[in-house]
Amino acid sequence: MTELLDAVAAQHFPHPPATVAAVEAFEHRMGWRLDPDLRAFYTRFDGARLFRGSNAPYQILPLAEVRRARVVMAQADTDTAGPSDWYAVCQLQDSNYVLLDVGQQTHGRYPLRDGYREGFPDPYYCPVIARSFAEFLSGALASGGRSFWLKALEVQGE
């Protein structure tokens, strides 16, 4: 994770770090704890814009802007509007999001989903695209500004 964070610092547009108090307040407000990858990211940067341009392809949200995906994408905080354990953590340039799924963990890490607005909240249209934030960040940094998972999803659908 350190190499990924160093790459963000050197080549992208990170925000100043979240304070320990801000992280604790976030976890208390949300009712779940950041996994090790997310904790490493947010204690180094409280959000970041990856790649150049005002309409950056990846905008990792500051803790204060992380919200339930159903509130962000469906403007409702009800079970019919989507799962309560999906959170919008990264805004994409096309009004879609990358979603953190805190309802499951693998090796102590939360997976990330494609927050495809037109298919939300159907898990078929919002599949897991990374098993951890580190895997997501690695793919994003290597993407050249593209949604790195889309090619793999196309191949799976064939």
Side-chain angles (χ1 to χ4, degrees), residues 43-66:
T43 56
R44 181 124 180 230
F45 317 116
D46 190 10
R49 183 169 47 97
L50 305 183
F51 303 101
R52 205 169 274 295
S54 60
N55 194 16
Y58 294 96
Q59 295 198 40
I60 302 169
L61 300 174
L63 288 174
E65 295 179 24
V66 173

Side-chain angles (χ1 to χ4, degrees), residues 3 11 20 27 33 49-50 52 54-56 62-63 66 74 86 93 98 110-111 121-122 124 142 151-153:
E3 288 180 22
Q11 301 164 12
V20 172
E27 291 176 334
R33 295 183 55 79
R49 183 169 47 97
L50 305 183
R52 205 169 274 295
S54 60
N55 194 16
L63 288 174
V66 173
W86 292 3
Q93 65 185 358
V98 174
Y110 300 119
D122 188 332
Y124 177 81
K151 187 74 170 168
L153 292 178

